[in-house]
Amino acid sequence: MISVAMATFNGEPYIQEQLDSIYNQTRKVDEIIIVDDGSSDGTVEVVESVIAGRGNVKFIHQENAGAGAARN
């Protein structure tokens, strides 16, 4: 099983490219877990539009708790 975990915070300029890269790997991932640490830009909206209709993604949007908490 291949799992990808990513933490985000105000990553709107990069998140689309990161997710596209994950989805376009030659070996497909079984699950993606994304934790957003209280972004105030458009990160959440971009993630939600990219993952719409994909069943292998768990997206958690939490209040800003810091990078360590987002990774845990």
Side-chain angles (χ1 to χ4, degrees):
M1 176 176 225
I2 298 173
S3 298
V4 174
M6 56 188 306
T8 67
F9 177 73
N10 290 340
E12 182 180 13
Y14 314 104
I15 195 74
Q16 176 79 50
E17 184 177 355
Q18 291 169 327
L19 291 171
D20 287 346
S21 176
I22 292 167
Y23 286 126
N24 292 321
Q25 295 296 308
T26 55
R27 185 129 186 236
K28 300 300 179 194
V29 299
D30 297 300
E31 69 176 352
I32 303 170
I33 302 166
I34 305 166
V35 179
D36 180 77
D37 192 33
S39 291
S40 59
D41 64 357
T43 300
V44 172
E45 291 79 9
V46 173
V47 170
E48 288 175 343
S49 74
V50 171
I51 68 172
R54 296 182 184 263
N56 64 338
V57 181
K58 181 174 184 178
F59 181 46
I60 302 164
H61 179 67
Q62 66 185 24
E63 290 193 31
N64 188 271
R71 284 191 216 86
N72 286 330

